[in-house]
Amino acid sequence: NAGVTQTPKFRVLKTGQSMTLLCAQDMNHEYMYWYRQDPGMGLRLIHYSVGEGTTAKGEVPDGYNVSRLKKQNFLLGLESAAPSQTSVYFCASRTTYYEQYFGPGTRLTVT
Amino acid sequence: GNSVTQMEGPVTLSEEAFLTINCTYTATGYPSLFWYVQYPGEGLQLLLKATKADDKGSNKGFEATYRKETTSFHLEKGSVQVSDSAVYFCALGSNSGGYQKVTFGTGTKLQVIP
């Protein structure tokens, strides 16, 4: 039981490049989330999904897209990376009772 | 809407000192309350939870009691260790406008010195 895994762990992009972050969970959770964490800002919700085939915007969705084609996977895409998207990205899945399980994070630097 | 307010950090304590990290919340209905811990370079981990008023959550020597009358869920530990150095997040889960939502506080950094 691996829990929540994220790929890659680190990435450096140039401004304007695109990339996809992969999140996978093996706990059969319906809800999945993408957050970004910046110094002094806590966690900010980017997008979330309440089940396979669904996605919805969170607090800071601009510049990001997501897809949930399979229940166990939740992908976060950056179409045209900007330095403001330098951050640590966390994926999480959630039980029915609001308990969230987080992945180890992806450290992204955009130069 | 829902909100969680935590005390500003960082909090610096000597080993074996008593720890309190304050957390208050605003929510409609009957939220569930959580404390998460984040060690350096890692994701958040659930530390403890309470699902109804007067419940006490506990784990690894940490405790927090769900106080509906004061809308609080303060984290306490009787004797901290260096290994407790981390960032602690208070969180709330509830049905808000038909959507089951989890709201996090901004985190409180704890540093324990030998």
Side-chain angles (χ1 to χ4, degrees):
Chain A
N1 191 341
V4 179
T5 58
Q6 291 183 233
T7 310
K9 288 187 169 47
F10 303 92
R11 186 73 186 268
V12 178
L13 287 180
K14 289 183 168 39
T15 297
Q17 288 184 319
S18 63
M19 77 165 294
T20 300
L21 283 67
L22 172 63
C23 176
Q25 54 101 358
D26 60 2
M27 295 173 283
N28 204 36
H29 291 162
E30 294 291 342
Y31 284 73
M32 295 187 75
Y33 303 83
W34 276 107
Y35 296 92
R36 60 178 290 172
Q37 186 177 38
D38 303 292
M41 302 288 286
L43 289 173
R44 291 187 289 170
L45 181 64
I46 304 171
H47 286 282
Y48 64 95
S49 168
V50 302
E52 181 178 310
T54 75
T55 62
K57 294 180 180 179
E59 304 167 60
V60 289
D62 294 341
Y64 305 95
N65 57 74
V66 287
S67 64
R68 182 101 182 265
L69 297 179
K70 292 183 180 180
K71 187 176 184 178
Q72 63 267 34
N73 295 337
F74 194 29
L75 278 62
L76 177 71
L78 285 72
E79 294 173 342
S80 179
S84 61
Q85 294 178 304
T86 293
S87 188
V88 182
Y89 291 86
F90 289 101
C91 176
S93 68
R94 205 202 86 190
T95 70
T96 306
Y97 302 100
Y98 305 106
E99 298 172 12
Q100 292 207 345
Y101 292 81
F102 285 80
T106 295
R107 293 186 177 275
L108 175 66
T109 302
V110 182
T111 62
Chain B
N2 297 342
S3 67
V4 175
T5 303
Q6 292 183 233
M7 60 188 291
E8 294 267 344
V11 174
T12 302
L13 294 173
S14 297
E15 206 165 21
E16 299 184 1
F18 185 86
L19 168 71
T20 300
I21 300 178
N22 290 339
C23 171
T24 57
Y25 67 90
T26 303
T28 55
Y30 302 93
S32 296
L33 300 174
F34 305 88
W35 277 101
Y36 286 83
V37 58
Q38 183 180 30
Y39 299 103
E42 298 183 10
L44 281 71
Q45 303 172 28
L46 180 64
L47 180 60
L48 54 84
K49 66 178 182 181
T51 58
K52 61 182 187 298
D54 299 325
D55 265 4
K56 178 185 281 189
S58 61
N59 186 24
K60 300 181 180 180
F62 291 90
E63 292 182 338
T65 302
Y66 188 163
R67 303 281 188 204
K68 193 165 175 65
E69 64 276 13
T70 54
T71 63
S72 64
F73 193 55
H74 305 322
L75 182 68
E76 297 182 336
K77 187 175 186 184
S79 176
V80 293
Q81 306 299 313
V82 172
S83 57
D84 294 326
S85 298
V87 181
Y88 293 82
F89 291 87
C90 185
L92 173 162
S94 76
N95 258 320
S96 178
Y99 159 53
Q100 294 184 332
K101 183 177 178 181
V102 179
T103 303
F104 285 87
T106 54
T108 302
K109 185 174 182 179
L110 170 67
Q111 183 177 13
V112 181
I113 54 178

